């Protein structure tokens, strides 16, 4: 079954293609396949999935109740404190630390820390994170050790 090409996907809806892609990923999961990128992740039944990265530090995101927010920061040294107002953003799971599997010098913090939130209500809140180390034996300076994204949610 691996290596088979299906030529008749042109008439499929985007959702059908996504289901097919997820099923195909399940077939090769035991072969070291990587997870789907965030852009292809299935979204909640009522909303969209927004991904906030270090590039979004200091910005404001507009979301709707029913959406999902994934905060994914680019070092295993980050600690995500969560949302200030849990009536607006509710953590779906604790933060997950995913160290890089190869190509990383010990102590460099290669990998990611990810936390997923459900937009549970209308209002505003901040999601914050911090870190003390910005690399092997390097203390963070300036704003390198803090992360904040403001979230404004509407019904």
């Amino acid at each position: 079954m691996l290596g088979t090409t299906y030529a008749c996907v042109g008439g499929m809806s985007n959702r059908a293609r996504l289901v097919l892609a997820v099923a195909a990923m399940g077939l090769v999961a035991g072969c070291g396949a990587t997870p789907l990128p965030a852009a292809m992740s299935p979204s909640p039944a009522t909303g969209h999935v927004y991904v906030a990265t270090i590039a979004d530090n200091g910005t404001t995101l507009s979301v709707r109740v029913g959406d999902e927010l994934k905060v994914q920061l680019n070092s295993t040294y980050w600690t995500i404190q969560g949302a200030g107002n849990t009536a607006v953003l509710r953590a779906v799971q604790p933060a997950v630390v995913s160290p890089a599997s190869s190509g990383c010098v010990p102590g460099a913090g290669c990998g990611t820390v990810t936390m997923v939130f459900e937009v549970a209500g209308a209002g505003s809140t901040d999601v914050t994170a911090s870190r003390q180390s910005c690399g092997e034996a390097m203390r963070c300076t300036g704003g390198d050790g803090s992360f904040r994204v403001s979230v404004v949610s509407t019904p």
Side-chain angles (χ1 to χ4, degrees), residues 62-115:
S62 297
V63 297
R64 297 182 71 100
V65 173
D67 289 346
E68 191 173 273
L69 172 65
K70 179 194 290 188
V71 176
Q72 187 167 31
L73 301 175
N74 62 342
S75 169
T76 59
Y77 293 137
W78 286 104
T79 300
I80 301 174
Q81 280 78 32
N85 184 348
T86 57
V88 174
L89 285 182
R90 183 178 19 236
V92 173
Q93 64 185 28
V96 175
V97 178
S98 302
S101 58
S102 64
C104 185
V105 181
C110 297
T112 60
V113 175
T114 305
M115 193 168 194

